[in-house]
Amino acid sequence: KTIEDALPKQSRLSPIQAATLEQAIRAQIAPCWNPPIGGADVADMTAVLRIRLNKDGSVAAPPEYVSQTGATAGNQAYARAFVETAKRAVLRCSPLELPADLYSYWREFELNFDPRLMT
């Protein structure tokens, strides 16, 4: 569920607004995220977290694990570390600076932690 999917159709942001808001969130969290170094078997790993924020941009609840790609029986320790570093990044970068008038759009959302997108 993306920021856009979480909204009733009549109150949705335009695709450009949603992309801009997601980009603003990524830009603030990315500097705090240091995914563990891994080999070729984890190059495409991603993790999706559900994030809940207060109106001041602070974290309202611990980030929740939603899903992960690229995890295998052989890289479980790395996969767990990958998710934990993503959770820590959200906490470390809090509070986020986001437009107060759009709080209903960003108070709860899922964010895909993909090293290729978080630059």
Side-chain angles (χ1 to χ4, degrees):
K1 180 162 86 172
T2 64
I3 290 173
E4 184 67 9
D5 294 336
L7 307 171
K9 283 193 184 340
Q10 67 273 21
S11 66
R12 288 189 175 183
L13 295 172
S14 74
I16 291 172
Q17 289 172 309
T20 301
L21 186 55
E22 186 171 343
Q23 186 177 24
I25 292 167
R26 282 188 194 287
Q28 292 179 61
I29 293 176
C32 297
W33 188 40
N34 296 308
I37 304 300
D41 66 325
V42 297
D44 295 326
M45 188 170 286
T46 68
V48 176
L49 299 181
R50 180 173 295 114
I51 300 168
R52 291 181 182 91
L53 300 175
N54 295 308
K55 207 164 195 158
D56 66 356
S58 63
V59 175
E64 295 176 37
Y65 167 85
V66 175
S67 63
Q68 187 168 33
T69 62
T72 65
N75 66 17
Q76 283 301 306
Y78 178 89
R80 280 190 300 277
F82 189 94
V83 170
E84 289 306 312
T85 61
K87 288 179 178 181
R88 278 196 302 273
V90 173
L91 298 172
R92 191 177 298 145
C93 276
S94 175
L96 300 182
E97 293 183 21
L98 298 167
D101 59 326
L102 298 179
Y103 177 65
S104 63
Y105 298 99
W106 53 261
R107 74 171 179 240
E108 181 176 339
F109 58 92
E110 291 180 0
L111 186 64
N112 182 19
F113 283 77
D114 182 337
R116 296 163 294 195
L117 299 175
M118 303 285 281
T119 55

